[in-house]
Short mmCIF file of all heavy atoms in Angstrom, two decimals:
data_model
loop_
_atom_site.label_atom_id
_atom_site.label_comp_id
_atom_site.label_asym_id
_atom_site.label_seq_id
_atom_site.Cartn_x
_atom_site.Cartn_y
_atom_site.Cartn_z
N VAL A 308 102.13 95.27 107.36
CA VAL A 308 101.42 94.08 106.67
C VAL A 308 101.86 93.90 105.24
O VAL A 308 101.89 92.72 104.88
CB VAL A 308 99.92 94.51 106.69
CG1 VAL A 308 99.10 93.59 105.88
CG2 VAL A 308 99.37 94.51 108.16
N TYR A 309 102.19 94.87 104.55
CA TYR A 309 102.59 94.72 103.14
C TYR A 309 104.15 94.89 102.95
O TYR A 309 104.61 95.19 101.96
CB TYR A 309 101.90 95.76 102.31
CG TYR A 309 100.39 95.41 102.20
CD1 TYR A 309 99.46 96.16 102.88
CD2 TYR A 309 99.99 94.42 101.27
CE1 TYR A 309 98.12 95.74 102.91
CE2 TYR A 309 98.59 94.13 101.24
CZ TYR A 309 97.68 94.75 101.90
OH TYR A 309 96.41 94.45 101.92
N ARG A 310 104.76 94.57 104.04
CA ARG A 310 106.21 94.52 104.05
C ARG A 310 106.78 93.49 103.01
O ARG A 310 106.17 92.44 102.88
CB ARG A 310 106.82 94.23 105.40
CG ARG A 310 108.35 94.06 105.43
CD ARG A 310 108.80 94.19 106.89
NE ARG A 310 108.58 95.51 107.42
CZ ARG A 310 108.48 95.76 108.72
NH1 ARG A 310 108.50 94.85 109.63
NH2 ARG A 310 108.23 97.04 109.19
N GLN A 311 107.83 93.88 102.28
CA GLN A 311 108.45 93.01 101.20
C GLN A 311 108.91 91.70 101.80
O GLN A 311 109.34 91.68 102.99
CB GLN A 311 109.56 93.73 100.46
CG GLN A 311 109.00 94.84 99.56
CD GLN A 311 109.95 95.02 98.55
OE1 GLN A 311 111.17 94.77 98.61
NE2 GLN A 311 109.47 95.50 97.46
N PRO A 312 108.99 90.63 100.95
CA PRO A 312 109.88 89.48 101.37
C PRO A 312 111.23 89.89 101.82
O PRO A 312 111.83 90.69 101.20
CB PRO A 312 109.81 88.61 100.12
CG PRO A 312 108.64 89.09 99.27
CD PRO A 312 108.51 90.55 99.60
N PHE A 313 111.63 89.36 102.86
CA PHE A 313 112.93 89.69 103.38
C PHE A 313 113.68 88.32 103.83
O PHE A 313 113.15 87.57 104.68
CB PHE A 313 112.81 90.66 104.52
CG PHE A 313 114.07 91.41 105.06
CD1 PHE A 313 114.83 92.11 104.13
CD2 PHE A 313 114.29 91.38 106.37
CE1 PHE A 313 115.96 92.67 104.51
CE2 PHE A 313 115.53 92.05 106.74
CZ PHE A 313 116.38 92.73 105.74
N PRO A 314 114.87 88.15 103.45
CA PRO A 314 115.63 86.88 103.85
C PRO A 314 115.90 86.85 105.37
O PRO A 314 116.09 87.88 105.91
CB PRO A 314 116.88 86.93 103.01
CG PRO A 314 117.13 88.38 102.70
CD PRO A 314 115.74 88.91 102.60
N GLY A 315 115.92 85.64 105.90
CA GLY A 315 116.12 85.42 107.35
C GLY A 315 117.36 86.10 107.79
O GLY A 315 117.44 86.80 108.74
N PRO A 316 118.50 85.98 107.04
CA PRO A 316 119.83 86.64 107.45
C PRO A 316 119.69 88.13 107.25
O PRO A 316 120.71 88.80 107.45
CB PRO A 316 120.81 85.87 106.47
CG PRO A 316 120.20 84.77 105.91
CD PRO A 316 118.73 85.09 105.85
N GLY A 317 118.65 88.70 106.69
CA GLY A 317 118.43 90.13 106.59
C GLY A 317 119.50 90.68 105.59
O GLY A 317 119.87 90.10 104.60
N LEU A 318 120.00 91.96 105.99
CA LEU A 318 120.94 92.57 105.11
C LEU A 318 122.29 91.93 105.17
O LEU A 318 123.12 92.30 104.23
CB LEU A 318 121.09 94.02 105.67
CG LEU A 318 119.79 94.90 105.66
CD1 LEU A 318 120.19 96.34 106.09
CD2 LEU A 318 119.15 95.09 104.21
N GLY A 319 122.37 90.86 105.90
CA GLY A 319 123.67 90.08 105.92
C GLY A 319 124.00 89.50 104.58
O GLY A 319 125.22 89.25 104.28
N VAL A 320 122.95 89.17 103.76
CA VAL A 320 123.32 88.48 102.49
C VAL A 320 123.13 89.62 101.33
O VAL A 320 123.09 89.21 100.11
CB VAL A 320 122.32 87.47 102.20
CG1 VAL A 320 122.64 86.20 103.08
CG2 VAL A 320 120.86 87.69 102.37
N ARG A 321 122.97 90.96 101.75
CA ARG A 321 122.94 91.95 100.74
C ARG A 321 124.23 92.93 100.91
O ARG A 321 124.51 93.66 100.06
CB ARG A 321 121.65 92.85 100.85
CG ARG A 321 120.47 92.05 100.36
CD ARG A 321 119.21 92.72 100.55
NE ARG A 321 117.91 91.83 100.20
CZ ARG A 321 116.73 92.13 100.46
NH1 ARG A 321 116.47 93.23 100.97
NH2 ARG A 321 115.77 91.30 100.10
N CYS A 322 124.91 92.59 101.99
CA CYS A 322 126.28 93.18 102.29
C CYS A 322 127.27 92.04 101.84
O CYS A 322 127.52 91.14 102.67
CB CYS A 322 126.39 93.59 103.70
SG CYS A 322 127.95 94.39 104.07
N LEU A 323 127.62 92.02 100.50
CA LEU A 323 128.28 90.82 99.97
C LEU A 323 129.63 90.59 100.69
O LEU A 323 130.38 91.58 100.89
CB LEU A 323 128.41 90.97 98.50
CG LEU A 323 127.06 91.24 97.66
CD1 LEU A 323 127.34 91.22 96.22
CD2 LEU A 323 126.04 90.20 98.10
N GLY A 324 129.97 89.35 100.65
CA GLY A 324 131.27 88.96 101.39
C GLY A 324 131.30 89.25 102.85
O GLY A 324 130.21 89.28 103.54
N ALA A 325 132.52 89.49 103.38
CA ALA A 325 132.57 89.71 104.84
C ALA A 325 131.90 91.02 105.24
O ALA A 325 132.19 92.10 104.57
CB ALA A 325 134.07 89.69 105.30
N ILE A 326 131.05 91.04 106.17
CA ILE A 326 130.22 92.22 106.51
C ILE A 326 131.23 93.27 107.26
O ILE A 326 131.80 92.86 108.19
CB ILE A 326 129.03 91.70 107.40
CG1 ILE A 326 128.17 90.86 106.59
CG2 ILE A 326 128.29 93.07 107.85
CD1 ILE A 326 127.05 90.19 107.45
N THR A 327 131.06 94.51 106.70
CA THR A 327 131.72 95.52 107.56
C THR A 327 130.68 96.59 107.87
O THR A 327 129.68 96.69 107.17
CB THR A 327 132.78 96.20 106.65
OG1 THR A 327 132.26 96.73 105.46
CG2 THR A 327 133.94 95.24 106.33
N LYS A 328 130.91 97.42 108.92
CA LYS A 328 129.81 98.33 109.37
C LYS A 328 129.60 99.31 108.35
O LYS A 328 128.47 99.86 108.21
CB LYS A 328 130.37 99.03 110.65
CG LYS A 328 130.12 98.16 111.90
CD LYS A 328 130.42 98.93 113.17
CE LYS A 328 130.05 98.07 114.39
NZ LYS A 328 130.42 98.76 115.68
N ASP A 329 130.65 99.84 107.64
CA ASP A 329 130.37 100.91 106.72
C ASP A 329 129.62 100.48 105.45
O ASP A 329 128.67 101.13 105.04
CB ASP A 329 131.80 101.51 106.12
CG ASP A 329 132.69 100.50 105.58
OD1 ASP A 329 132.52 99.26 105.75
OD2 ASP A 329 133.61 100.91 104.84
N ARG A 330 129.80 99.25 104.96
CA ARG A 330 129.01 98.72 103.87
C ARG A 330 127.64 98.31 104.43
O ARG A 330 126.63 98.46 103.54
CB ARG A 330 129.67 97.59 103.18
CG ARG A 330 130.87 98.01 102.43
CD ARG A 330 131.44 96.82 101.52
NE ARG A 330 131.89 95.69 102.25
CZ ARG A 330 131.19 94.45 102.15
NH1 ARG A 330 130.21 94.36 101.28
NH2 ARG A 330 131.67 93.53 102.84
#
Side-chain angles (χ1 to χ4, degrees):
V308 171
Y309 290 98
R310 181 163 289 161
Q311 288 207 334
F313 193 51
L318 300 181
V320 291
R321 294 177 183 172
C322 183
L323 305 186
I326 298 169
T327 59
K328 282 189 176 180
D329 59 340
R330 286 193 301 113

